[in-house]
Amino acid sequence: VNISFDGLPELQDRQRPFANGRGSFSAVDQTLRRLDAAGKNYGIRATLTTDSVARLKDIALFVAERYPHCRQLHIEPAWECGRCLASGEHTPDTAQFLEGFLAALAALPKGSPRLVFSAARQEHLTTTFCAVSRNSFVVTAEGLVTACYEVCETSDPRGERFIYGHYDFTGHRYVFDREKMAALHGLTVPHMPQCRDCFCKYHCAGDCPAKLLENDAPADHRGSGRCRITRAITLHQLSASLGATETEDNP
């Protein structure tokens, strides 16, 4: 179970209100406490904006103290799409996000939830960030077939790359664009020159294609603020792993 929850009551109520505008913290908090009472492990996914990024350490400590069965706290900067376009929320500053993330890592006591950023995956070795390049098959209510669950409408500028088929309701069959499928298969880190000399390339695998490439070719990938976050957190993970190894080998 993974639950979208922005970590503090006032942030949850402002960033994820119900359709009628009422805050949603009490409802989500009740769900999390029920899971705790049942002894069920779960994860939390929180999104940070320019207004909330300064509270990152507070969010991590609040979750660690209040929800004992939360095993993973996944933190991401907001991506300016969907409700973000109407709410006026913005992607936080890269340096501020990174500073807060590393401060939260240092502040969390032993036994706290694992703090996660999607592209910093030191434990993984792969050439693909996700299933987009491996025949991901996501069908929308309208019958569109997309490789990415973040790209679900033809009005999305990224739809031209990621929506590669549709369901033919007359012929009762799926119809695919083979050229688009071939292009999707090429969304792997060996096709991204920007990543060639990066020590993270087989961990992050070039990061999320939908966030970095839009409709550009993989060869046009020139890095981003997310790359800076990924490298810094992955370096921290590698350093921590080496430190643990040295401690075990040299008590």
Side-chain angles (χ1 to χ4, degrees):
V1 178
N2 202 49
I3 297 174
S4 293
F5 172 61
D6 288 334
L8 294 171
E10 61 273 23
L11 296 181
Q12 176 70 15
D13 285 345
R14 185 174 79 243
Q15 294 182 188
R16 299 185 188 271
F18 287 113
N20 63 7
R22 184 170 59 88
S24 61
F25 170 77
S26 60
V28 179
D29 179 66
Q30 182 181 28
T31 297
L32 295 172
R33 287 182 170 277
R34 287 289 298 273
L35 288 170
D36 282 328
K40 301 299 183 182
N41 295 333
Y42 54 88
I44 286 174
R45 163 67 160 79
T47 298
L48 297 185
T49 68
T50 50
D51 293 332
S52 62
V53 67
R55 308 290 304 279
L56 201 162
K57 184 170 78 169
D58 297 335
I59 291 169
L61 292 173
F62 178 84
V63 168
E65 180 179 355
R66 189 174 182 89
Y67 305 113
H69 280 269
C70 176
R71 292 295 178 260
Q72 174 175 293
L73 175 57
H74 179 179
I75 304 280
E76 292 286 327
W79 190 251
E80 294 183 22
C81 63
R83 78 170 77 186
C84 230
L85 298 175
S87 68
E89 303 282 3
H90 295 288
T91 302
D93 176 73
T94 296
Q96 197 173 6
F97 179 90
L98 181 56
E99 179 183 359
F101 193 99
L102 295 178
L105 275 176
L108 285 171
K110 186 176 182 180
S112 295
R114 178 173 176 250
L115 198 59
V116 170
F117 172 70
S118 60
R121 313 179 296 183
Q122 180 258 327
E123 70 277 14
H124 290 286
L125 290 175
T126 180
T127 59
T128 60
F129 177 80
C130 62
V132 158
S133 60
R134 301 195 303 267
N135 295 325
S136 176
F137 184 80
V138 182
V139 183
T140 72
E142 295 77 20
L144 299 175
V145 180
T146 176
C148 177
Y149 63 80
E150 292 187 20
V151 184
C152 298
E153 299 174 338
T154 54
S155 58
D156 189 321
R158 301 168 297 179
E160 183 62 27
R161 173 189 290 279
F162 292 98
I163 297 175
Y164 66 93
H166 68 276
Y167 184 72
D168 180 352
F169 288 94
T170 302
H172 303 291
R173 63 191 183 92
Y174 284 98
V175 179
F176 303 107
D177 186 320
R178 300 293 175 178
E179 289 187 7
K180 286 187 178 182
M181 292 179 70
L184 288 166
H185 292 160
L187 295 181
T188 60
V189 75
H191 294 97
M192 298 179 185
Q194 169 71 17
C195 302
R196 181 178 295 119
D197 297 323
C198 180
F199 74 95
C200 292
K201 70 177 182 179
Y202 292 125
H203 300 305
C204 79
D207 201 4
C208 170
K211 289 183 172 62
L212 293 180
L213 297 175
E214 296 192 358
N215 274 340
D216 296 330
D220 295 327
H221 173 33
R222 293 293 177 264
S224 69
R226 285 179 61 89
C227 292
R228 181 182 172 192
I229 294 170
T230 299
R231 286 193 294 266
I233 296 176
T234 303
L235 179 60
H236 183 278
Q237 293 172 341
L238 289 167
S239 298
S241 297
L242 290 170
T245 301
E246 290 172 1
T247 301
E248 291 171 4
D249 293 344
N250 302 287

